[in-house]
Amino acid sequence: MDLEQLNSELDTLRSKTAAAVCDLTSMDEVRRLESQTTGKSGTLGGMLGGIKEYPPQERGQVGETLNQAKGELAALFKNAADRIRSTAAAAEASKASSYDPSLPGARPPLGTFHPVTLVQQQVEDVFQRLGFLVETGTEMETEYYNFEALNIPKLHPARDMQDTFWLTNGKLLRTHTSPVQVQAMERHGPPLRVIVPGRCFRYETIDPSHENTFHQVEGLMIDKHISIANLIAMMKLLLREVFGRDLKVRLRPGYFPFVEPGFELDMSCLICGGDGCGTCKRTGWIEILPCGMVHPNVLRAGRIDPHEYTGFAFGLGLTRLAMMKYGVADIRVLNSGDLRATVPASRFGGPTIVAKD
Ligand code: FA5
């Protein structure tokens, strides 16, 4: 190719490139076209490699011409790159200016209360409307309040009814919420209405209706002329308020050293409708509300005269109540940390939650 032909080809290359760079929209496209044009194996690169084909006396001018074209082409690519970069920066800027800080942010997913907490709140609400105080007591308890003040002296066989976690400091983890009975009597004196929701601990074999950590609500009402009729009326009211309807219940004699007479109030198992299942140990009934008239020895321990005052007490199994209310067939689900247990499925028409053995 003589010098004239070379110039003509370079003109064509320049005008083609000038047109092509106008259509480029990304830096990748710029780099690709630049390499095809001025790169080592590109069009101009090939021409530069061919200088040695020219007679020595023309090589200087050919080189000068090609270098000049190379500079012009480089300027075209630089302009295209600058244009693309400033378009991208403008798009970013307009995106940033469309941000409206006054719009509400994305809402984090909402949690809900644990089923036991929900039922506890409901029970507290019912009793507060009836003038009961709500106290909590302590989870680490003395042997005196957990047993002796409740008419369960040392070596009494009734201590075996509740297997105890003993602590190295001589205290214990309360096995029931009843220790607060005598404490409340000492603190407030008669007449007295108090409920005590809280956690209890027993060294138990765990199964679908027994945990080693579970919740109870203790109830205590002391006044003149309190009778079993008051106790039964209160138990019925409690269950009706929690379930919103009358339930099938049964009352049978029950032995607790701190009440006389004592009763066991069972409710028909709502997991199986009373037919018998793993939760109710095939009996169709769930022990939920042991209760009775406060034993005179317990009143005496609380410095209350049993000739002047009588009272009733109950120990509601709150965790089991939550199971019945929300259709949780296995108590282990409630302590498992399974988040489905904090959104009781049955409340939303979903399936009953059952833990695997
Ligand atoms: C008591 O704890 C007595 N303090 C209750 C009481 C209070 C009786 C006042 C009379 C007067 P009991 O051991 O039965 O009784 O437990 C009471 C309720 O707690 C049971 O009916 C049951 O619903 C629940 N419960 C007992 N043990 C467990 C357990 N391991 N897991 C889950 N719930 C339990």
Side-chain angles (χ1 to χ4, degrees), residues 161-162 175-178 181 202 204 209-216 218-219 256 258-259 263-264 286-292 313-320 331:
M161 290 163 71
Q162 301 173 1
T175 55
H176 50 178
T177 41
S178 300
Q181 282 191 23
R202 290 189 197 172
E204 293 230 37
S209 55
H210 292 84
E211 256 289 4
N212 52 28
T213 304
F214 57 97
H215 287 73
Q216 286 186 349
E218 193 76 8
F256 301 94
F258 33 97
V259 286
F263 306 99
E264 285 279 8
I286 291 281
E287 278 180 21
I288 204 119
L289 236 177
C291 52
F314 61 85
L316 170 69
L318 189 66
T319 310
R320 287 198 193 157
I331 197 167

Side-chain angles (χ1 to χ4, degrees), residues 99-108:
Y99 170 66
D100 181 352
S102 67
L103 286 176
R107 285 180 183 275

Side-chain angles (χ1 to χ4, degrees), residues 24 26-36 85:
L24 300 180
S26 74
M27 290 304 292
D28 274 351
E29 289 174 354
V30 173
R31 280 188 279 271
R32 205 174 308 124
L33 187 62
E34 192 170 17
S35 147
Q36 288 163 2
R85 276 197 206 97

